[in-house]
Amino acid sequence: MGGPVVLGIESSCDETGAGIVRDGRLLAHVVASSMDEHARFGGVVPEIAARAHLQSFNPVVRQALDRAGLGLGQIDAVAVTTGPGLSGALQVGLAGAKSLAYAAGVPLYGVHHLAGHVAADTLEHGPLPAPCVVLIVSGGHTSLLLVRDLVREPIMHLGDTLDDAAGECFDKVARILGLPYPGGPAIDRAAREGDPRAVVFPRPLTRPADDPYAFSFAGLKTAAARWVEQHRLRGEEPSVADGAAALQEAVADVLTRKAVEACGAYDVRTLIVVGGVAANSRVRALAEERCARNGIELRVPPMTLCTDNGAMIAAVGDLLVRSGAEPAPLNVSVDPSAPLEYASLTPLPAPSPRAA
């Protein structure tokens, strides 16, 4: 018969995702994105995202169940992203997940969104080696982690971004270059026709003694903006392809250099790269080169599991159920700015102030 069947729900930003996992095996997953609705604004609009989740939630869950050949009564647990993310978007997902868990009479598990990205790799490559170094790189997050047991032990942060995340840098520079949103894929496409050596962009924080694995991309974004500005002040249009290629090279260089150095410092033989920017072709290629050179196994999930999805949340839920973790309380809430400490995230609502 197999182990428990876990339905995972993701709604932290602009993707509504539902995934179904049993014993570490992905049975189905469906994602509905509202990205096209946000593109004309150059970024995610929280109110539009929340409304899109409301419209997509039931169809996405139904499609996932249909693809898995299951009914709601065959689900043994529901897992849902409870943070971090957009408050309204998270609330829609949590309310829907609570309704499903109640209707099915099964436990509910709150999951940290970033732990979901880490667990996404298990759906392709199996259990995480213990220990492993994980590079999470996305539009809102850039972190280097040491993971021993994802659901039983605290997650150790080796370094985090001090300002802009790598994906945020791509989005902002893409806008400056006149490329569409989202900026990451647009930069990647434009870079194919460019020369990464045509522009010398800085490599921020490559040798900080006090925090060697911290990241900073705000200065790189500013350097790219100044490069564009200088061309236009001379009445010239910069080469979008060269700018994109040079920016992408700088980001990939910093990310992979620090990740490989951390593997060496902590005597870890496996590097896992996850998150939306893990889909970037240069990040993948440079990570492969440097890992091969240093005898490190590189694991990157397939493209469909790099961006936000319900499968990754179901993967964490599956691990929590099998580890015997306590389900979330009935009054579990969301935490839009939750730090990543544990894979399980079950914040409670703030107490109401007493009436005067």
Side-chain angles (χ1 to χ4, degrees):
M1 291 292 292
V5 178
V6 180
L7 169 65
I9 302 296
E10 157 61 23
S11 70
S12 64
C13 193
D14 58 348
E15 279 101 6
T16 310
I20 301 175
V21 171
R22 174 196 280 150
D23 286 337
R25 187 169 66 89
L26 180 60
L27 303 183
H29 88 106
V30 176
V31 176
S33 175
S34 58
M35 188 177 295
D36 290 346
E37 298 178 59
H38 304 285
R40 58 198 175 105
F41 300 101
V44 176
V45 180
E47 292 81 1
I48 291 176
R51 184 169 64 246
H53 289 308
L54 280 168
Q55 295 169 344
S56 299
F57 186 91
N58 285 336
V60 163
V61 170
R62 173 50 54 197
Q63 287 178 53
L65 288 169
D66 288 346
R67 290 184 185 181
L70 298 170
L72 184 60
Q74 294 170 283
I75 297 297
D76 298 298
V78 177
V80 61
T81 302
T82 46
L86 303 174
S87 179
L90 290 167
Q91 293 284 7
V92 172
L94 177 58
K98 283 183 175 181
S99 298
L100 291 171
Y102 180 80
V106 299
L108 177 73
Y109 293 84
V111 171
H112 196 289
H113 174 79
L114 296 183
H117 277 303
V118 179
D121 183 73
T122 67
L123 299 175
E124 178 71 12
H125 299 115
L128 299 175
C132 59
V133 168
V134 179
L135 174 64
I136 298 180
V137 54
S138 67
H141 306 277
T142 303
S143 296
L144 201 54
L145 312 171
L146 183 66
V147 177
R148 293 186 173 87
D149 187 314
L150 183 61
V151 298
R152 290 186 176 92
E153 296 186 30
I155 295 164
M156 179 179 175
H157 287 246
L158 304 180
D160 298 284
T161 187
L162 304 178
D163 41 58
D164 291 359
E168 187 178 0
C169 178
F170 280 151
D171 285 340
K172 290 178 177 177
V173 176
R175 184 184 302 179
I176 294 167
L177 291 172
L179 295 171
Y181 176 85
I187 291 282
D188 202 351
R189 288 192 299 270
R192 294 170 193 163
E193 307 299 323
D195 179 1
R197 296 164 295 183
V199 189
V200 180
F201 284 140
R203 271 45 170 179
L205 296 185
T206 49
R207 292 291 175 190
D210 55 337
D211 198 354
Y213 306 117
F215 298 97
S216 170
F217 294 103
L220 177 58
K221 171 200 66 183
T222 301
R226 293 290 174 266
W227 174 74
V228 172
E229 181 183 49
Q230 287 164 10
H231 277 76
R232 290 175 179 163
L233 286 173
R234 297 195 297 265
E236 305 168 356
E237 275 302 310
S239 167
V240 172
D242 286 348
L247 177 79
Q248 182 173 263
E249 188 68 23
V251 170
D253 182 19
V254 172
L255 290 172
T256 59
R257 184 188 311 185
K258 286 177 178 281
V260 168
E261 286 176 356
C263 287
Y266 287 87
D267 195 25
V268 171
R269 307 316 304 166
T270 303
L271 171 64
I272 299 172
V273 184
V274 297
V277 181
N280 180 271
S281 62
R282 185 56 183 154
V283 170
R284 284 176 173 248
L286 195 53
E288 288 173 3
E289 292 173 22
R290 287 179 165 167
C291 284
R293 195 181 308 141
N294 289 275
I296 297 167
E297 178 193 11
L298 175 66
R299 292 177 31 163
V300 186
M303 297 285 193
T304 56
L305 295 178
C306 284
T307 52
D308 295 349
N309 61 84
M312 68 187 198
I313 304 304
V316 178
D318 175 59
L319 292 171
L320 289 169
V321 171
R322 289 193 281 148
S323 72
E326 285 292 318
L330 293 177
N331 62 337
V332 62
S333 185
V334 301
D335 185 349
S337 57
L340 177 58
E341 297 172 342
Y342 292 90
S344 176
L345 179 63
T346 56
L348 299 178
S352 301
R354 291 184 179 181

